[in-house]
Amino acid sequence: MKEAAKALHQREDIAVRRADITAAFVLIKTAEYHQKLDAILSDSTKFERLTKNPTDKIKKEANDIISSVNTATNAMHLPTIIGDYSLGYLYGNVKTHKNGNPLHPIISQTPALMYGLAKLLNQILTPYVPSRYSLHSSTEFLKKIRDSPGTGIIASLDIESLFTNVPVDETINIIMDHIYRDPSTPQLNIPEVSLWAIL
């Protein structure tokens, strides 16, 4: 088995990718895999082709915003971004349950300079996320089903390429309204203009 996996890994004409949703792996022709990724990236409403690496410019702009946030509040200190970083990268998991086996695009930002700041912001903003209509696990979902009166309809909505179709500005506006204009939420000790700039 190990020898077979090694042999597949060495073949340039075959790509071994994870299947979407399931824990299986898929063998797909490398040319077909790249063709499907290129089709996703060619959508100019979601992606923009750059002519140079913007990392240094983004780092300077981000550190300027971080400095202004740290000056405006005494209760919170955001760390300055230092060091060298790479760009994020796109890969796709194969949707074996769909006709034509399209790819589920995933953009990994792990090596990117904003990754650490994004994780910190996630911790800061999570308490402000409304949880009334959210479930945290399949176990919680099953409990809801068992405890329900047995009436009504359960529907599953399938959204194509969810994260590349999220309206960014509208989403940020919803976040801002919930944090700064909802009297039921605690006050966040970051100026709204600064948080907007970071997001």
Side-chain angles (χ1 to χ4, degrees):
M1 193 71 172
K2 288 183 179 180
E3 290 299 321
K6 183 178 179 181
L8 280 172
H9 184 70
Q10 292 174 341
R11 288 186 57 171
E12 295 184 356
D13 61 323
I14 297 291
V16 181
R17 300 303 318 161
R18 283 189 177 275
D20 193 43
I21 298 178
T22 68
F25 285 88
V26 177
L27 302 181
I28 182 172
K29 292 181 180 178
T30 303
E32 179 184 354
Y33 176 71
H34 288 158
Q35 182 182 22
K36 290 180 177 182
L37 281 182
D38 288 342
I40 293 169
L41 290 171
S42 66
D43 184 351
S44 59
T45 66
K46 309 292 189 308
F47 300 98
E48 177 184 353
R49 183 178 293 275
L50 301 177
T51 57
K52 63 180 182 179
N53 189 336
T55 301
D56 289 340
K57 179 183 177 185
I58 294 173
K59 184 195 291 186
K60 183 182 183 308
E61 291 174 351
N63 280 332
D64 287 345
I65 295 169
I66 288 169
S67 177
S68 68
V69 170
N70 290 341
T71 300
T73 174
N74 294 322
M76 185 178 302
H77 180 81
L78 300 178
T80 302
I81 301 172
I82 58 174
D84 296 323
Y85 296 87
S86 302
L87 295 174
Y89 58 91
L90 174 77
Y91 63 95
N93 289 344
V94 183
K95 296 183 178 182
T96 55
H97 57 290
K98 295 281 185 76
N99 290 334
N101 302 128
L103 299 182
H104 171 193
I106 300 170
I107 301 174
S108 175
Q109 296 289 350
T110 305
L113 67 93
M114 297 297 284
Y115 180 73
L117 180 60
K119 287 186 69 175
L120 178 58
L121 287 173
N122 182 63
Q123 293 175 7
I124 293 170
L125 297 178
T126 293
Y128 294 90
V129 176
S131 59
R132 181 179 176 188
Y133 302 107
S134 300
L135 297 174
H136 297 94
S137 67
S138 57
T139 303
E140 187 177 351
F141 173 72
L142 291 174
K143 184 178 186 308
K144 289 277 188 185
I145 296 296
R146 282 195 296 267
D147 296 344
S148 71
T151 59
I153 297 173
I154 296 177
S156 175
L157 304 179
D158 188 10
I159 302 174
E160 181 180 350
S161 302
L162 171 63
F163 292 107
T164 56
N165 282 310
V166 171
V168 176
D169 288 343
E170 183 179 345
T171 302
I172 293 176
N173 278 323
I174 292 170
I175 293 170
M176 293 301 180
D177 285 342
H178 193 65
I179 292 175
Y180 294 102
R181 282 169 282 286
D182 186 339
S184 66
T185 58
Q187 184 67 39
L188 179 64
N189 194 18
I190 295 179
E192 182 175 350
V193 65
S194 299
L195 183 59
W196 177 273
I198 293 174
L199 295 176

